[in-house]
Amino acid sequence: MNLLLKENKPMVATIISGLLIVIGLFFTFSNSPTIAALIYISSFIIGGFHQAKEGLQDTIQNKKLNVDILMVLAALGASSIGYWMEGALLIFIFSLSGSLEVYATNKSTKAITELMNLTPERAMVIQPDGSIKEVPTESLTIGDKLMVAKGTNIPIDGVLLSKYGLIDESAISGESIPSEKVAGEEVIGGTINLEEAITMQVSKDSSDTLFAKILRLVDEAQSTPSKTATMIEAIENKYVLTVLIFVPVMIAIFYFVLNWGWNESFYRGMVLLTVASPCALVASAAPATLSAISNSARKGILFKGGSYLENFGQIKAIAFDKTGTLTEGKPVVTESFFKEEKDKKEIINVCVAIEKTSTHPIARALVSAFSETSDHNLIVEQMKDRTGHGMSGMAYGSEWKIGKKEYVLEKNNSQFITHADILQNEGKTVIYVSKDDQVVAYFGLLDAPKEEAKQMIAYFKSQGVHTIMITGDNPATAATVGQIVGVDEVKANCLPDEKAKIIKELGEKYGSIAMIGDGINDAPALANASIGIAMGAGTDIAMDVADVVLMKNDLAQLAYSHRLSNRLKKITIQNIVFAITVILILIISNLFQVITLPLGVVGHEGSTILVILNGLRLLKSTPDVLKAKKRS
């Protein structure tokens, strides 16, 4: 509670204003009207100062009217005819709704500002003579060598110099399992060194680190209103001007046409001024959008503006890059065929012994597939590497070759390798193994789809969204991956400019289209999509041109974002309909002299408070349907 009041000064003024009204009521019932009036005036000034100041500044600076002006005028009008308590109550409840809006804004940005505390303000720089000097993190330059103690946050992005490091990257990846790092691998500022002290070298300026980008993206998003909020703001000035003209006209009608007394006519005008004000309508979209942006940011989904989050639920088609987006971005062994089962162990031993000396992705895939069942003590002699073709060596008294068909297959083994053609037709890479020029094994490799890709595609199809995969890969491989994940359409052999052209064509066909990618070749397509979405582990240029960044590279976040966008739309519509309905009911009730000013204040400002609280519901996480399906 203390923290709430410290961060929300308007709330303090609101509470004091409310207490003064209670004291004023005591003197009112004690037949001390003068003292009561003075106390109500004090409540009026204290509670209304912040709102009146903001309203006047906005009017003067931006040359436009706003709801704050209407509330102040209504309170002044009520007080001028002796309704001191009503005027003070109006200001108090109006001030309360404004304080709650400040609270909503603070609440929605709290999760983001906490990110700033993850990167330490000081860093330990290793001097040329080996000594350690503590300096401000912002003063670090590329190339500086740092020491990071056990249990402390890494101050800036860089490269690990120590042989080994165990890093808690949960703030970035969301994964609870620590990440093992070896010398030369990237370490991210704000993550935590869990083991002994490590050394690292700075690779980025403090303004260009991953956390700095996150903070900039969220700040941009929160300062960019949604289309609904912009639309409401655009009509606010005209609406307020209409009310200011409408109220005097109605007072004249009450007095001259309906023959009500002056006090009653003016009083009803002040009630009308209060209940016709669009406070709840103005608050229908902004707090809800801020809450939704904060919600998504906590999940590692960074929207660069409220309009992108608002519109994501309205997309009619969604396009995906293949490599690194729908797939893992590296090949894995999917099939293995051995000519003789009795020779399987020997073949695996030779494959691992030869391929572990290479850094090629295919070599790594073979080692990863068979290392657990191989004999790591086997020594292969006379090893040769024919770049682009394969590798060879001597083991078990025979010559072995591993690689492409034209390199390995020198003698006819057609009966054994018949199925290899089927693998190739499926778009898989086939690697052959020969022993003394006789093929003894072959393996099918594929850049495997991510675990959550199929479920994510199924989700969007269930929502009536057309799914397309656009890739530069060959048609056979693209068709295989497309069939596995279940996309509606596949576009293969696409260059970057062709991807952008296809996105434009899809946009013309479907209207609103999203594009998800991670590489430089995806940047033109991302820029041309209605909503461009970049994977967080992708290139900087893809992240820069995209409208949304998935920091955790989790495709399930797309479904989460879609559901959150639909929740935002639903809650915003609820707020707008509710606000307009309340305004109409209160205006009609006032015309029939059913409500008093206090009831009008409570009804009108109460509706404002309710729409703000309804918007705050978006701070609560949306159920993750994809993960729920996995658990079931």
Side-chain angles (χ1 to χ4, degrees):
M1 184 66 180
N2 290 336
L3 184 62
L4 169 64
L5 296 179
K6 184 178 180 180
E7 295 177 348
N8 193 345
K9 291 181 180 178
M11 183 64 80
V12 176
T14 299
I15 292 172
I16 295 172
S17 175
L19 291 174
L20 287 173
I21 289 175
V22 173
I23 296 171
L25 287 171
F26 171 78
F27 282 102
T28 298
F29 291 115
S30 300
N31 293 319
S32 302
T34 303
I35 297 176
L38 291 174
I39 293 173
Y40 290 140
I41 292 171
S42 300
S43 171
F44 188 111
I45 294 171
I46 294 172
F49 177 77
H50 177 77
Q51 297 289 100
K53 179 182 175 183
E54 282 195 345
L56 288 171
Q57 284 179 340
D58 189 36
T59 300
I60 294 170
Q61 292 173 3
N62 300 317
K63 305 283 191 301
K64 67 176 187 178
L65 299 167
N66 55 55
V67 293
D68 296 342
I69 297 298
L70 293 184
M71 290 298 98
V72 171
L73 289 176
L76 287 171
S79 301
S80 68
I81 54 175
Y83 289 92
W84 300 105
M85 189 276 289
E86 286 83 349
L89 183 62
L90 169 56
I91 290 298
F92 164 71
I93 299 182
F94 184 58
S95 175
L96 178 60
S97 66
S99 301
L100 283 174
E101 191 161 359
V102 172
Y103 168 75
T105 304
N106 291 344
K107 184 77 173 176
S108 65
T109 57
K110 187 177 180 182
I112 310 308
T113 55
E114 286 175 353
L115 285 173
M116 300 177 69
N117 299 324
L118 293 175
T119 51
E121 295 180 355
R122 312 285 291 181
M124 310 300 289
V125 179
I126 303 174
Q127 302 296 306
D129 60 1
S131 62
I132 305 292
K133 182 181 180 181
E134 187 176 354
V135 301
T137 300
E138 60 185 21
S139 70
L140 295 174
T141 58
I142 296 174
D144 283 347
K145 294 182 179 180
L146 310 179
M147 188 277 290
V148 182
K150 179 179 180 180
T152 60
N153 291 65
I154 294 171
I156 196 170
D157 291 5
V159 176
L160 183 66
L161 297 178
S162 300
K163 290 184 178 180
Y164 172 81
L166 188 65
I167 312 298
D168 178 1
E169 294 185 335
S170 58
I172 293 293
S173 67
E175 297 293 334
S176 58
I177 300 174
S179 176
E180 297 182 8
K181 302 282 186 179
V182 295
E185 291 191 331
E186 181 185 19
V187 289
I188 301 171
T191 57
I192 305 170
N193 174 31
L194 296 178
E195 297 243 325
E196 299 306 316
I198 59 172
T199 57
M200 59 171 285
Q201 188 170 41
V202 178
S203 63
K204 292 183 179 179
D205 291 326
S206 58
S207 61
D208 196 37
T209 63
L210 182 57
F211 266 100
K213 287 182 178 180
I214 291 173
L215 292 170
R216 279 200 300 271
L217 288 174
V218 177
D219 183 59
E220 289 173 9
Q222 293 185 330
S223 60
T224 306
S226 67
K227 285 187 176 180
T228 304
T230 303
M231 179 190 71
I232 291 173
E233 186 178 343
I235 66 171
E236 182 183 355
N237 182 63
K238 294 179 181 177
Y239 186 102
V240 171
L241 183 60
T242 301
V243 171
L244 288 176
I245 295 172
F246 182 62
V247 168
V249 170
M250 290 306 297
I251 291 175
I253 292 173
F254 295 152
Y255 184 71
F256 293 108
V257 178
L258 299 180
N259 294 318
W260 295 353
W262 169 250
N263 270 12
E264 177 67 11
S265 298
F266 192 82
Y267 179 79
R268 288 297 157 190
M270 293 305 98
V271 175
L272 181 61
L273 184 61
T274 301
V275 301
S277 298
C279 300
L281 186 61
V282 171
S284 294
T289 303
L290 288 174
S291 298
I293 288 173
S294 177
N295 182 331
S296 64
R298 288 202 310 271
K299 290 283 187 178
I301 312 161
L302 304 183
F303 285 85
K304 293 184 179 180
S307 60
Y308 301 120
L309 176 54
E310 184 179 64
N311 294 336
F312 188 54
Q314 312 308 309
I315 59 170
K316 301 301 180 185
I318 184 167
F320 303 88
D321 170 51
K322 179 182 77 69
T323 306
T325 301
L326 287 177
T327 66
E328 298 289 353
K330 56 185 179 181
V332 295
V333 176
T334 57
E335 287 96 357
S336 304
F337 297 90
F338 299 90
K339 188 175 183 181
E340 299 289 345
E341 189 66 25
K342 62 183 177 63
D343 298 329
K344 180 176 179 179
K345 179 67 174 176
E346 184 180 272
I347 296 168
I348 288 175
N349 290 342
V350 172
C351 286
V352 172
I354 291 177
E355 298 290 9
K356 71 181 182 182
T357 63
S358 172
T359 58
H360 193 282
I362 289 179
R364 289 182 175 181
L366 291 170
V367 172
S368 176
F370 301 119
S371 61
E372 290 185 5
T373 58
S374 68
D375 179 6
H376 291 275
N377 295 319
L378 176 65
I379 297 176
V380 179
E381 299 177 338
Q382 301 179 31
M383 283 183 47
K384 296 177 182 177
D385 184 355
R386 284 195 61 188
T387 305
H389 293 85
M391 299 180 72
S392 64
M394 298 295 296
Y396 298 119
S398 299
E399 181 188 22
W400 297 79
K401 290 181 180 179
I402 306 173
K404 293 182 176 179
K405 183 177 182 179
E406 62 270 17
Y407 171 63
V408 173
L409 188 59
E410 295 185 1
K411 295 192 177 181
N412 189 7
N413 296 89
S414 58
Q415 188 172 358
F416 171 56
I417 65 170
T418 302
H419 192 70
D421 293 333
I422 298 175
L423 297 181
Q424 288 180 323
N425 291 335
E426 291 176 351
K428 295 176 182 177
T429 300
V430 181
I431 298 298
Y432 299 83
V433 182
S434 71
K435 177 183 178 181
D436 294 329
D437 293 328
Q438 294 292 318
V439 174
V440 293
Y442 60 93
F443 312 108
L445 294 91
L446 182 71
D447 182 7
K450 292 179 178 178
E451 182 183 351
E452 68 274 14
K454 186 175 181 179
Q455 290 178 313
M456 180 271 299
I457 294 294
Y459 167 80
F460 279 103
K461 290 174 74 171
S462 72
Q463 301 298 307
V465 178
H466 187 75
T467 57
I468 312 105
M469 184 176 75
I470 307 175
T471 177
D473 213 336
N474 66 76
T477 302
T480 299
V481 174
Q483 185 177 16
I484 293 173
V485 299
V487 292
D488 296 312
E489 188 177 352
V490 174
K491 302 281 187 180
N493 279 339
C494 297
L495 296 174
D497 60 328
E498 292 172 327
K499 285 188 176 184
K501 183 181 178 181
I502 290 171
I503 289 297
K504 286 182 180 179
E505 292 172 352
L506 290 169
E508 292 173 0
K509 181 178 180 180
Y510 292 100
S512 182
I513 179 170
M515 167 71 191
I516 298 91
D518 70 329
I520 293 174
N521 63 330
D522 297 318
L526 293 174
N528 280 281
S530 308
I531 301 177
I533 304 172
M535 305 297 281
T539 59
D540 286 346
I541 188 170
M543 293 173 64
D544 288 341
V545 302
D547 307 307
V548 187
V549 179
L550 304 182
M551 297 307 302
K552 297 177 185 177
N553 294 317
D554 183 1
L555 290 174
Q557 293 174 332
L558 289 173
Y560 184 91
S561 300
H562 191 262
R563 287 169 59 81
L564 181 63
S565 175
N566 287 331
R567 279 185 67 203
L568 172 60
K569 180 184 177 182
K570 180 180 178 181
I571 286 177
T572 303
I573 290 174
Q574 285 175 353
N575 286 345
I576 291 173
V577 171
F578 177 71
I580 293 174
T581 302
V582 170
I583 289 173
L584 291 175
I585 290 173
L586 292 175
I587 289 175
I588 294 170
S589 299
N590 182 50
L591 293 176
F592 286 97
Q593 298 176 286
V594 174
I595 59 170
T596 61
L597 183 56
L599 285 177
V601 170
V602 171
H604 183 263
E605 295 307 319
S607 66
T608 305
I609 293 171
L610 288 175
V611 299
I612 292 171
L613 294 177
N614 194 38
L616 282 175
R617 289 198 297 128
L618 285 165
L619 287 170
K620 185 179 179 181
S621 293
T622 298
D624 195 324
V625 289
L626 297 194
K627 291 183 178 177
K629 287 181 180 178
K630 288 181 186 178
R631 286 193 293 270
S632 62

